[in-house]
């Protein structure tokens, strides 16, 4: 089945075309036919974080050009006819998304109707103004092309993202550590039909902590890549921190996390220095990354012992972090019955391929398409 994926939950506008095959009983495989993505990070960098109204405007501006690109890259089969639709009805669906109805009309009148079996769109969690743009775009497309639309959970997208790589299969039980800008969760799945969150952060998510510490160090948004670059420089130069940062809740014995104290500890640490030199920045970045990694790996090991999974997944934007990936890979080597899966870097951070993949799992589970979807900023996994 060919699925069109749409993702607008934060500051990435993304459209994918994914061919999904297989069932729970056989192997599930995905072929990525197209992946069009526009990252707004440069625009938000000025504000030091994502500015929702701006994200909304940018999504509305970029969805149609990205759709055009994705469809042309995917060289999808088309039906040689133009859609016949009620423009007023579509205008109503898109009334809050400035300029989107006009650009979409121009496109669908120009191209033949693609053969797509399902449209999948992120319904949450994320920034609601941003989510709405993708949702309304998906509903409008579903109406124009008469295709079924499926609301999809963004974190389920991260969870299933490793399935998109060739030769990966889930062996159950699955344990997943999902680490992104808004979430830090340990998830256990016994089978395809469900999963439960066994632990999560009580305050900041790991990615958020990276972003906040980056700001304290005067580094640009998004902070993860910037902090990890400095940490790497410190390791390469053998620059050992002359201080230590706390490992919040590392030894709490449960699966809960807390990262806001770590950011505060960095704030107080920096206050002790009159001069914030580049080497001090590198040392702080290294110690911060070590502290985060230490907590994540310790909790993961605790969960590996408790749930004896046959697959361990590290996913979400922070899984792009080389140091954390390596640390997880190393810990898993101690558990020969558990395979380690982590998405490729381009599938770690937000994308629409994982949304199509998660929708396929929902469809196999019997999900029904809908013509009304509500953005849910706090949608749980
Ligand atoms: O999953 P994602 O792209 O968006 C959300 O769903 O939130 O994750 C974004 C987060 C940001 O906080 C960003 O700083 C972090 O992932 N991130 C990283 C790295 N690349 C992205 N954190 C640490 N190291 C990285 N290399
Ligand atoms: Zn994400």
């Amino acid at each position: 089945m060919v699925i069109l994926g749409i993702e607008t939950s934060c500051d990435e506008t993304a459209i994918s075309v994914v061919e999904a095959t297989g069932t729970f009983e056989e192997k599930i495989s995905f072929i990525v036919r197209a992946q069009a993505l526009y990252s707004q990070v440069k625009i938000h960098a000025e504000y030091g974080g994502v500015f929702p109204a701006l994200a909304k405007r940018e999504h509305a501006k970029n969805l149609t050009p990205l759709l055009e690109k994705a469809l042309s890259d995917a060289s999808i089969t088309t039906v040689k006819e133009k859609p016949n639709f009620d423009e007023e009805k579509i205008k109503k669906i898109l009334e809050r998304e400035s300029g989107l109805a006009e650009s979409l009309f121009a496109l669908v009148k120009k191209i033949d109707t693609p053969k797509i079996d399902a449209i999948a769109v992120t319904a949450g969690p994320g920034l609601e103004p941003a989510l709405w743009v993708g949702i309304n775009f998906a509903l409008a497309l579903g109406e124009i092309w008469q295709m079924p639309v499926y609301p999809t959970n963004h974190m389920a997208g991260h969870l299933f993202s490793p399935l998109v790589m060739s030769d990966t299969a889930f062996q159950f039980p699955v344990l997943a550590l999902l680490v992104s800008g808004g979430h830090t969760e340990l998830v256990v799945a016994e089978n395809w039909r469900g999963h439960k969150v066994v632990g999560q952060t009580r305050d900041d998510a790991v990615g958020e902590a990276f972003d906040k510490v980056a700001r304290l160090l005067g580094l640009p948004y998004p902070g993860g890549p910037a902090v990890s670059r400095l940490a790497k420089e410190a390791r390469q130069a053998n620059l050992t921190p002359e201080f230590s940062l706390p490992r919040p809740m590392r030894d709490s014995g449960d699966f809960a996390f807390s990262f806001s104290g770590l950011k505060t500890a960095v704030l107080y640490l920096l206050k002790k220095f009159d001069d914030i030199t580049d080497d001090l920045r590198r040392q702080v970045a290294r110690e911060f990354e070590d502290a985060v990694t230490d907590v994540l790996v310790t909790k993961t090991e605790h969960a590996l012992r408790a749930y004896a999974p046959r697959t361990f997944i590290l996913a979400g934007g922070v899984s792009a972090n080389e140091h954390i990936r390596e640390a997880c890979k190393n810990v898993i080597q101690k558990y020969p019955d558990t395979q380690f899966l982590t998405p490729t870097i381009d599938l770690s951070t937000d994308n629409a391929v994982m949304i199509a993949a998660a929708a396929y799992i929902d469809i196999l589970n019997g999900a029904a398409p809908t013509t009304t979807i509500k953005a849910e900023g706090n949608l749980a996994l």
Side-chain angles (χ1 to χ4, degrees), residues 206-256:
V206 190
E208 195 177 356
F210 267 98
D211 295 338
K212 287 178 175 170
V213 166
R215 208 188 299 192
L216 294 174
L217 293 174
L219 302 170
Y221 172 84
V227 170
S228 85
R229 202 173 313 120
L230 288 197
K232 191 172 178 180
E233 285 173 15
R235 285 186 200 99
Q236 282 169 343
N238 272 327
L239 202 58
T240 313
E242 291 151 11
F243 42 78
S244 66
L245 288 168
R247 268 64 174 160
M249 297 190 70
R250 180 188 58 186
D251 306 309
S252 62
D254 57 11
F255 302 116

Side-chain angles (χ1 to χ4, degrees), residues 175-333:
L175 170 72
L177 175 62
L178 304 181
V179 279
S180 70
H183 293 78
T184 302
E185 336 186 275
L186 274 165
V187 179
V188 173
E190 295 294 338
N191 53 47
W192 290 110
R193 302 195 188 275
H195 36 254
K196 67 171 191 280
V197 177
V198 296
Q200 57 188 310
T201 183
R202 297 194 171 161
D203 39 59
D204 292 354
V206 190
E208 195 177 356
F210 267 98
D211 295 338
K212 287 178 175 170
V213 166
R215 208 188 299 192
L216 294 174
L217 293 174
L219 302 170
Y221 172 84
V227 170
S228 85
R229 202 173 313 120
L230 288 197
K232 191 172 178 180
E233 285 173 15
R235 285 186 200 99
Q236 282 169 343
N238 272 327
L239 202 58
T240 313
E242 291 151 11
F243 42 78
S244 66
L245 288 168
R247 268 64 174 160
M249 297 190 70
R250 180 188 58 186
D251 306 309
S252 62
D254 57 11
F255 302 116
F257 298 90
S258 164
F259 291 103
S260 75
L262 195 46
K263 160 208 69 196
T264 315
V266 171
L267 175 70
Y268 285 112
L269 174 71
L270 290 173
K271 282 193 177 160
K272 289 189 195 152
F273 295 87
D274 296 327
D275 191 13
I276 314 281
T277 63
D278 284 348
D279 273 355
L280 175 63
R281 282 197 183 87
R282 291 191 183 97
Q283 288 183 42
V284 173
R286 177 180 180 171
E287 176 59 13
F288 169 75
E289 193 174 68
D290 281 345
V292 165
T293 307
D294 191 359
V295 173
L296 293 177
V297 165
T298 307
K299 294 272 177 185
T300 296
E301 260 211 282
H302 179 36
L304 286 168
R305 285 192 297 266
Y307 295 99
R310 292 186 59 211
T311 301
F312 170 67
I313 293 166
L314 172 71
V318 180
S319 71
N321 184 288
E322 232 177 87
H323 191 67
I324 296 172
R325 279 169 105 96
E326 276 304 303
C328 286
K329 198 159 104 193
N330 288 339
V331 81
I332 276 296
Q333 279 174 355

